[in-house]
Amino acid sequence: MTRPAQSRPQAAEKAAAPDRSRWTAAVFVAPVVLYLLAFQFYPLAQQFYLSVTATSLLDPSRQTFVGLENYRDILTDPEFHQALRVTVVYTLVCVAGSILLGLGAALLLDRPFRGRGIARALVTIPWAAPPVAAALIFVWLYNAQYGLVSRASQALGLSAGGINWLDEPSYALPAILITTLWQIFPFSAVVILAALQGVPSELREAAVIDGADRFSVFKAVVWPTIRPTVTLLALLITVWSLRRFDVIWIMTQGGPLGETNTLVIDLYRRAFVYLDLGRAAAVGIVGLAVAVLVTLVYFWASRRAEAASGRR
């Protein structure tokens, strides 16, 4: 007869436990939510409102609501079309080039050889260098009069005189891509190398014993293990490439003839050169939409790849 009376406090404690856990979770999550509201969603809402107004940098307090006129103007502007094209090319080359170079470097650094620790440390130097310093170094290297790249091209007979790498429309974007890849591929190499360390050596040895060559071992054992890491790495590099500003602005400021004018450079130019905050905000919203779309495509492709590997 006394068991029900004794079980009531225990039942009350069990019922109160989920409530306490929910309050504890809310306390820990609240700072993150407040941070996102204050520093992410509120500025984004402000930017969207700015994009539907005619606002000059000379007098930001005077705003005239124009609806979607700014979006219509930029979507019919050839300069914006060129910036979007350059952004796509720049991003695709950065993602593909950095992952391929990083994968090759990681595979080499994963093999045992004398001085491997020193080589792993040296490969991170470009990534550790400040982007501004790296851009200034390559501006000097590309100089048509005394740059080492121009002198090397003359010595090899590729050009009779110095090549204006950053002033020629056909050379400017490749020159910036080389600079960017030189700086970001070490990050890819370090991340992929860390993923390679997680590949079970037993699986590699079993594949070799079964007669598989190196390419077959990589395809059947190594790649399925590191693929999630490479997918996430590709997403990170994509986002970084879409918002890359410092290197491009220091080296060419979007020129010559708009051949290196990306969306971020176009936004800056509209806001601080043309003093048109409304259209600049519209460019930023379009760039954000592109980044979100790319992120969704990455997650969709990743889930499909995981589902396909699970069916196998």
Side-chain angles (χ1 to χ4, degrees), residues 6 22 41-42 54 80 154 165 172-173 180 182 208 245 251:
Q6 294 177 353
R22 283 195 291 267
F41 294 109
Y42 177 72
F80 175 80
Q154 294 180 39
W165 291 91
L173 184 58
T180 307
W182 174 83
V208 172
F245 174 81
M251 296 184 70

Side-chain angles (χ1 to χ4, degrees), residues 96-282:
S98 62
I99 289 181
L100 290 176
L101 291 174
L103 178 61
L107 291 174
L108 291 176
L109 295 174
D110 189 49
R111 301 181 62 182
F113 60 89
R114 181 176 297 178
R116 183 173 62 173
I118 298 177
R120 288 180 176 181
L122 292 177
V123 79
T124 61
I125 291 179
W127 174 255
V132 175
L136 292 176
I137 290 173
F138 274 88
V139 167
W140 175 75
L141 291 174
Y142 289 135
N143 187 276
Q145 297 180 354
Y146 51 79
L148 294 181
V149 176
S150 295
R151 291 193 175 185
S153 63
Q154 294 180 39
L156 295 175
L158 300 178
S159 63
I163 299 177
N164 294 319
W165 291 91
L166 300 179
D167 295 330
E168 291 289 337
S170 56
Y171 295 131
L173 184 58
I176 289 180
L177 285 170
I178 292 173
T179 305
T180 307
L181 290 175
W182 174 83
Q183 188 180 26
I184 66 175
F185 97 87
F187 177 77
S188 300
V190 171
V191 173
I192 297 175
L193 179 61
L196 290 174
Q197 303 299 310
V199 179
S201 59
E202 297 81 3
L203 295 180
R204 296 187 185 186
E205 295 173 358
V208 172
I209 292 175
D210 291 339
D213 55 12
R214 290 183 178 178
F215 179 77
S216 299
V217 172
F218 176 81
K219 180 180 179 181
V221 178
V222 177
W223 176 248
T225 305
I226 68 173
R227 182 175 56 193
T229 301
V230 174
T231 302
L232 179 59
L233 178 63
L235 176 59
L236 292 175
I237 297 176
T238 299
V239 174
W240 291 341
S241 301
L242 288 174
R243 61 185 182 87
R244 175 70 67 176
F245 174 81
D246 42 16
V247 172
I248 301 175
W249 182 259
I250 291 173
M251 296 184 70
T252 62
Q253 297 185 3
L257 301 178
E259 289 298 321
T260 61
N261 187 38
T262 61
L263 288 178
V264 180
I265 300 294
D266 189 50
L267 185 155
Y268 179 87
R269 193 183 301 277
R270 291 177 187 272
F272 299 102
V273 178
Y274 304 150
L275 307 179
D276 191 345
L277 294 181
R279 288 189 177 90

Side-chain angles (χ1 to χ4, degrees), residues 49-67:
Y49 174 74
L50 192 63
S51 70
V52 295
T53 64
T55 306
S56 173
L57 183 63
L58 298 177
D59 191 4
S61 61
R62 297 183 59 183
Q63 298 178 345
T64 304
F65 182 79
V66 295

